[in-house]
Amino acid sequence: MGVNLPAHLVIIKSTQFYDCGVVREYEQAQVLQMIGRAGRPQFDTSATAVILTKEENKKSYEDLLSGQKLIESSLHKNLTEHLNAEIALGTIRDVSVALEWIRSTFLYIRIMKNPKHYGMPEGLSKEQVEKRLQNICISVLRSLAGVHLIAMDEYCFDLQPTETGCLMARYCVAFKSMKSFVELSGQLSIEEMLQAITNCYELRDVQLRTNEKKTLNELNQHKSKPTIRFPLSGKIKTSEMKINCLLQATLGCLPIPEFSLIQDVARVFRAATRVSKCLVEFLLTQNSADSLRTFHSAVVLDKCLKARLWEQSVYVARQLEKIGPALGTLLVNVGMTSFVKVADTNPRELEMIVNRHPPFGSTVCEAARLLPKYEVFFEQDTEYLERTAKLTVFVRLLNCAELRVKNTAGINHSCMLIVGDADNNIVYRQRLRDYSLTQTGSWSKQLDIVRARTSDVLTMHLISEQWVGFDVTATCTPFYAGTHTINIAERVSHNQATQAVVTGPVPRDAGYQELYLATDCNWNGNETKGEGTAPCKHRCGNKQACRHLCCKVGVLPKECNASKTPCKVITKHINEIHLKKQYIPETPKLKRLKVESTPIDVDLEKFRYAPVTKSQYAAVEKTPSGNTSSCYGVGKHKQDWEQLDQYYANRIQKQKYKEDHTDEYIDTTSDSEYALQYFANLDEKDNFYDVKSVMNNTDINQSKYYRLQTFSFL
C-alpha cells in the first residue's frame, strides 16, 4: 500500500485482512489502488492484475473492474449533520421544506430504485417511500431538538437554529460528539477532558496496528525512559488508547520513533484541535452554575493542542520563530525554561548555545521580549454587605507601548478571563483581545459577587488561547458584613469542650464578632435541640440571626450534679485562651532589621597586622623597677597571664615617658634637620618605630609649630 513500484504483473492473493480479531474485506478504493500498480509506462503497453477471492465475491469484483457496479448514496448515514447545517444556514424552516430538500438529493433517486439497500422493503409505492422519508426526517429533527441543537414546535412547523447547532455546523462536528459534550459534568479535570476528546466520533478512522503496540506501551509506561503525563492503565489495546497516548506524547515533547505513528499524529491533531475549539465555544454558551473546573480544563487543553505543549512545559521556546525541537532542547538543557529567561539572555551567548550566527540571537531575544505581559488584580468597594461584595476586576497590559509597534503573538491574539468562586461557579468570563488592550492599556469590569457556601476565596485566571508560558492567576478574599458561616461536620462529645473557629478576616467596618462558648450557657435538661445538643438560655428574638454561636448550634448537656471543680475551671480558661488565639495575628518568623546605607570612612591601617621579627622580640631593656621586658612583648619564660600583666605595666610606663619628653615645640620651618635628629635620638633610645618615615610623609611646612606624635609598635 502506497509504494510506488510499477510492475507488469500484480497479484492480490486475498481480498480479506485480519482486523482486531475479525476478518474483513478490503474496501474498493484499496483494491483499485493495489491493482493500479500494474503496468510500467516506459516498458509496457499493457499489464495484468490477478485478484484471488471467494466465489460469492466474484460478481462484485467483476462489476468493479468493468465499471458496471452501481454507486449508492451515503447521505442517510449523515442525514442529522446535513439537516442541522441547512437549518443553521436558513435553508430549511419547517418539515415540508426539509422533505423538498431530500427530494432534490441523490439519496431520493437511489432509494426509489433500490430501497432494499437503505433498509426498506421492496415493492413500496412512491407515496409509501415518501411517507417513510418523512418519518425519518421528523425523527432526525426531534433528535436534534432533544440536545438543543435546534428549536422546534410540537408539529415541526417552525424550525429555528440555536447557537449550539450553529457551532456544530461551523466546526463540522458529528452529532454523536455534540451529544457527548452536552452530557459532560462540571467537575472534569484535564485528564478527563482529554479522554472525552479521544472518544469523539471524528477520530474513529485511526486504527491500532499490531507493530505499533510495543512503541506505544513504552511511551505509556517505562522504568527508565520519560513517559506520558497521565499514564493509561494496562496495555494499549484500543484505538482510543492509542490516540490518547499519541496526544500526550506530543504535548510532552517525547520522541516518537515510528514513521507511521508520526503520520497518525498529524491526522489526530488536525481533528482534535477542531473538536476542542468547538467544545470551548459550546461551554462558553452554557450558563450552568457548577462548571468552573470543566470550563477551565477545556480552555487549557484547547490551548495546549494548538501549541502542542502542556500548559506547564519547559519547552516554551519552541513556540518562537526559528526555534525547533532540536534548538528548544538545547535551550532547556542550559536552563532557559521561560520567555523571561530567553529575553534576558545576551544574544551572543544565545548564539553560542545553539551554534548560530548573528543576528539569530538578537531576533530570538526580541521576539521573546515582544510577547504580551499581563497583570490582573481586584479592588473592593468600601460598602460591605452580608451576602454580596462589589469588586472591580482589572487587567493591565504592561508593555502596551512596545506591542503597538510589533506583537510576537500576533494582532489577533486573545486571552480568556475566568473568575470563579470556591463552589465551582463561574462568576464572570470574557474573551479579551490584545488589539483592544494595546489601545487602552487596561480593562476593568465591576462585578457583584454572591457569597459562596464553601469559602470566600475568589480565583481569576487569564489564559492565553494560543500560547503557552504567560498565563496569569490571582486570588483574593472579599470582605462581607455580618457573621461568618460556621459549618460543623462532627459534633463534639460531651466529654470535650466545644470550640468555634471562624475562618476569614472580618473588616473593622462590619463590627467585631462576639463569640460565646457553649459551656458558658446553662441548660436545665428539659429541652433538646438536635442530636446531642440543646437550646441555650439566651433571650434572643431570632436565634438564627444573632451573633451567639450557642443560639445557632446549641449547647452540649452537662452531667447531672456536676460541680465546678478547679480542674474544670482551668480547662475552661485554657479553652478561652485557645479561642482568643484565633484572632491574634501571626508573629513574623523572621525579623528584618533596617540597615542604614550611609558610607563611613574607616582607617584600615589601625587594623593592619605587622609580624614581630626575632631580633625585635629578643631586644630586652632594663626597666626602672628591675624587671626585664621588651617594647614589643615580654620574655618567653613568662606564663600567659604574667605576660599580660607585664605588657600592661610596660605600656603605662611608656605612656608616662612620652608625656615627659614630647612637650617641647620645635620650629620646623627654621630647623627641620634638628627635628629629624631629635627623632632619631628618640628612636635609638626608646626603640620607637620608623619616626623618620612618619616625618618624611608629613608636610611639616604647613604650620610653624608641629606637635610631635609618636607611635610605638606593639
Side-chain angles (χ1 to χ4, degrees):
M1 294 294 295
V3 180
N4 189 13
L5 181 62
H8 178 76
L9 175 63
V10 173
I11 301 175
I12 302 177
K13 64 179 183 178
S14 177
T15 58
Q16 294 179 339
F17 68 99
Y18 185 78
D19 181 26
C20 297
V22 181
V23 178
R24 303 179 185 274
E25 285 284 333
Y26 282 119
E27 295 182 0
Q28 296 180 2
Q30 292 177 325
V31 175
L32 291 175
Q33 197 273 344
M34 287 188 284
I35 65 178
R37 301 298 93 195
R40 296 175 295 175
Q42 65 272 31
F43 302 108
D44 300 333
T45 57
S46 63
T48 305
V50 179
I51 301 176
L52 304 178
T53 185
K54 294 183 178 181
E55 185 68 27
E56 58 267 18
N57 298 329
K58 179 180 178 182
K59 182 70 170 57
S60 62
Y61 284 106
E62 289 178 352
D63 295 341
L64 175 65
L65 296 177
S66 61
Q68 298 178 358
K69 187 173 183 178
L70 298 177
I71 300 175
E72 300 293 344
S73 174
S74 60
L75 179 62
H76 62 289
K77 299 179 181 180
N78 304 289
L79 184 60
T80 307
E81 289 80 6
H82 287 82
L83 280 178
N84 177 74
E86 296 297 332
I87 294 173
L89 293 174
T91 306
I92 298 176
R93 291 299 182 184
D94 52 40
V95 66
S96 60
V97 179
L99 289 175
E100 290 293 333
W101 177 81
I102 291 178
R103 292 190 186 99
S104 63
T105 61
F106 181 65
L107 172 66
Y108 182 78
I109 297 174
R110 291 306 308 162
I111 207 171
M112 288 295 182
K113 295 183 179 181
N114 188 12
K116 185 178 180 180
H117 180 77
Y118 301 96
M120 296 183 182
E122 296 181 355
L124 296 178
S125 63
K126 182 178 180 181
E127 291 76 10
Q128 292 175 336
V129 172
E130 289 186 353
K131 183 65 176 178
R132 288 178 176 266
L133 286 176
Q134 182 178 359
N135 295 334
I136 294 174
C137 183
I138 293 176
S139 177
V140 169
L141 294 177
R142 287 178 177 175
S143 62
L144 289 173
V147 290
H148 306 288
L149 295 177
I150 62 172
M152 57 180 287
D153 57 1
E154 183 179 358
Y155 302 100
C156 304
F157 289 144
D158 186 17
L159 303 177
Q160 296 294 332
T162 61
E163 195 170 358
T164 305
C166 293
L167 289 175
M168 175 181 169
R170 184 188 309 165
Y171 292 100
C172 300
V173 179
F175 174 72
K176 294 181 180 179
S177 300
M178 292 300 299
K179 189 175 181 180
S180 65
F181 293 165
V182 175
E183 297 173 355
L184 293 177
S185 64
Q187 297 285 346
L188 296 183
S189 61
I190 295 180
E191 180 181 4
E192 296 169 339
M193 188 64 65
L194 181 63
Q195 184 65 34
I197 291 180
T198 56
N199 294 333
C200 288
Y201 186 74
E202 285 72 15
L203 300 172
R204 70 190 185 281
D205 295 334
V206 180
Q207 302 296 330
L208 176 62
R209 306 178 184 91
T210 305
N211 58 345
E212 299 171 347
K213 292 183 179 180
K214 181 180 179 180
T215 304
L216 293 172
N217 289 325
E218 290 180 354
L219 292 174
N220 183 30
Q221 295 177 359
H222 200 276
K223 295 181 179 179
S224 59
K225 296 181 181 180
T227 57
I228 58 180
R229 180 178 179 181
F230 306 111
L232 304 175
S233 60
K235 300 291 185 179
I236 305 297
K237 299 179 181 179
T238 61
S239 299
E240 290 78 9
M241 298 179 71
K242 172 186 175 180
I243 296 170
N244 195 331
C245 186
L246 290 178
L247 287 174
Q248 293 193 59
T250 306
L251 296 178
C253 300
L254 300 180
I256 301 176
E258 292 288 339
F259 179 74
S260 60
L261 292 178
I262 297 176
Q263 290 181 325
D264 289 338
V265 165
R267 183 169 53 173
V268 166
F269 267 89
R270 191 182 307 114
T273 305
R274 173 168 51 89
V275 173
S276 64
K277 182 64 177 176
C278 179
L279 176 58
V280 172
E281 296 295 334
F282 166 72
L283 294 176
L284 195 60
T285 60
Q286 304 301 308
N287 295 322
S288 57
D290 188 15
S291 60
L292 173 62
R293 189 180 182 188
T294 298
F295 184 68
H296 179 267
S297 301
V299 174
V300 171
L301 184 58
D302 177 56
K303 181 255 297 286
C304 293
L305 292 176
K306 290 178 182 177
R308 296 200 176 188
L309 293 172
W310 285 118
E311 73 277 10
Q312 298 177 352
S313 176
V314 295
Y315 297 92
V316 294
R318 291 190 180 188
Q319 304 172 88
L320 298 175
E321 189 179 0
K322 300 182 180 179
I323 300 293
L327 299 185
T329 305
L330 291 176
L331 295 179
V332 171
N333 293 337
V334 297
M336 297 185 187
T337 57
S338 64
F339 290 121
V340 177
K341 293 181 179 179
V342 175
D344 295 341
T345 306
N346 191 333
R348 307 289 82 81
E349 180 182 355
L350 184 62
E351 292 164 356
M352 293 177 61
I353 294 172
V354 299
N355 194 18
R356 292 293 186 272
H357 297 289
F360 180 84
S362 302
T363 304
V364 173
C365 292
E366 183 182 5
R369 183 175 55 84
L370 293 178
L371 286 172
K373 298 179 179 62
Y374 303 101
E375 180 186 12
V376 295
F377 56 93
F378 295 86
E379 285 186 3
Q380 183 176 2
D381 294 346
T382 56
E383 181 182 359
Y384 300 113
L385 301 177
E386 184 176 359
R387 298 301 306 169
T388 60
K390 294 183 178 180
L391 293 179
T392 304
V393 179
F394 291 91
V395 178
R396 185 176 300 169
L397 188 61
L398 301 179
N399 56 343
C400 60
E402 298 177 355
L403 298 184
R404 290 182 187 136
V405 180
K406 183 180 180 181
N407 190 349
T408 304
I411 193 173
N412 295 324
H413 176 259
S414 60
C415 293
M416 183 66 69
L417 176 67
I418 308 173
V419 181
D421 58 9
D423 290 343
N424 198 36
N425 296 325
I426 299 177
V427 178
Y428 184 77
R429 52 190 174 186
Q430 177 69 35
R431 179 179 281 113
L432 302 177
R433 300 192 179 276
D434 287 352
Y435 178 77
S436 59
L437 288 177
T438 52
Q439 304 299 326
T440 59
S442 62
W443 176 91
S444 62
K445 178 69 175 181
Q446 188 173 5
L447 305 175
D448 292 334
I449 308 298
V450 180
R451 191 174 187 178
R453 298 186 304 271
T454 307
S455 176
D456 296 339
V457 179
L458 295 176
T459 307
M460 179 167 59
H461 304 277
L462 188 64
I463 305 172
S464 172
E465 293 187 309
Q466 292 88 16
W467 286 67
V468 172
F470 47 82
D471 297 345
V472 184
T473 302
T475 59
C476 80
T477 304
F479 297 132
Y480 296 95
T483 58
H484 288 255
T485 304
I486 302 173
N487 296 326
I488 299 180
E490 298 180 357
R491 296 189 178 275
V492 187
S493 62
H494 64 275
N495 295 326
Q496 299 177 354
T498 304
Q499 296 183 6
V501 179
V502 181
T503 59
V506 181
R508 294 183 179 272
D509 295 343
Y512 291 100
Q513 299 268 347
E514 295 179 4
L515 298 178
Y516 293 87
L517 289 174
T519 54
D520 289 342
C521 304
N522 298 322
W523 177 63
N524 55 11
N526 297 327
E527 297 175 298
T528 59
K529 181 179 181 180
E531 181 180 355
T533 60
C536 65
K537 301 298 290 184
H538 288 158
R539 298 179 180 178
C540 301
N542 187 359
K543 291 196 173 186
Q544 295 298 328
C546 73
R547 296 183 179 181
H548 297 157
L549 176 64
C550 54
C551 293
K552 297 179 180 179
V553 182
V555 297
L556 297 177
K558 295 184 179 180
E559 296 180 359
C560 298
N561 300 325
S563 61
K564 292 187 177 180
T565 60
C567 181
K568 293 185 177 180
V569 174
I570 294 175
T571 304
K572 175 183 175 181
H573 179 66
I574 293 175
N575 293 336
E576 292 179 354
I577 293 176
H578 284 302
L579 182 61
K580 293 178 181 179
K581 183 182 177 182
Q582 303 295 332
Y583 301 97
I584 299 177
E586 184 180 359
T587 305
K589 297 181 180 180
L590 297 177
K591 290 186 177 180
R592 297 185 178 181
L593 301 178
K594 184 177 181 181
V595 181
E596 296 183 357
S597 60
T598 305
I600 302 175
D601 296 334
V602 179
D603 187 9
L604 299 180
E605 290 294 331
K606 296 190 297 183
F607 306 99
R608 184 172 64 88
Y609 169 73
V612 180
T613 61
K614 292 183 179 181
S615 59
Q616 293 174 341
Y617 190 80
V620 179
E621 65 176 359
K622 189 72 174 178
T623 59
S625 60
N627 297 328
T628 59
S629 62
S630 172
C631 63
Y632 301 103
V634 295
K636 295 182 179 180
H637 61 280
K638 300 287 186 180
Q639 297 295 334
D640 293 340
W641 56 85
E642 295 178 352
Q643 292 178 4
L644 293 175
D645 296 339
Q646 188 65 35
Y647 169 77
Y648 183 74
N650 292 342
R651 187 179 180 104
I652 295 176
Q653 188 175 5
K654 290 174 185 179
Q655 186 68 23
K656 183 178 180 182
Y657 183 82
K658 287 188 289 183
E659 292 177 357
D660 296 339
H661 293 80
T662 58
D663 291 337
E664 302 180 7
Y665 291 90
I666 305 172
D667 187 359
T668 56
T669 58
S670 61
D671 200 357
S672 59
E673 295 181 359
Y674 174 77
L676 295 175
Q677 184 64 31
Y678 181 79
F679 287 122
N681 294 335
L682 290 178
D683 187 26
E684 293 178 0
K685 185 175 182 180
D686 297 318
N687 293 326
F688 290 108
Y689 183 75
D690 202 7
V691 180
K692 292 183 180 182
S693 62
V694 175
M695 290 299 300
N696 292 333
N697 293 333
T698 306
D699 189 3
I700 60 177
N701 295 322
Q702 291 182 359
S703 60
K704 183 176 181 180
Y705 296 99
Y706 197 87
R707 184 170 179 83
L708 178 60
Q709 299 282 346
T710 59
F711 300 89
S712 62
F713 182 83
L714 300 178

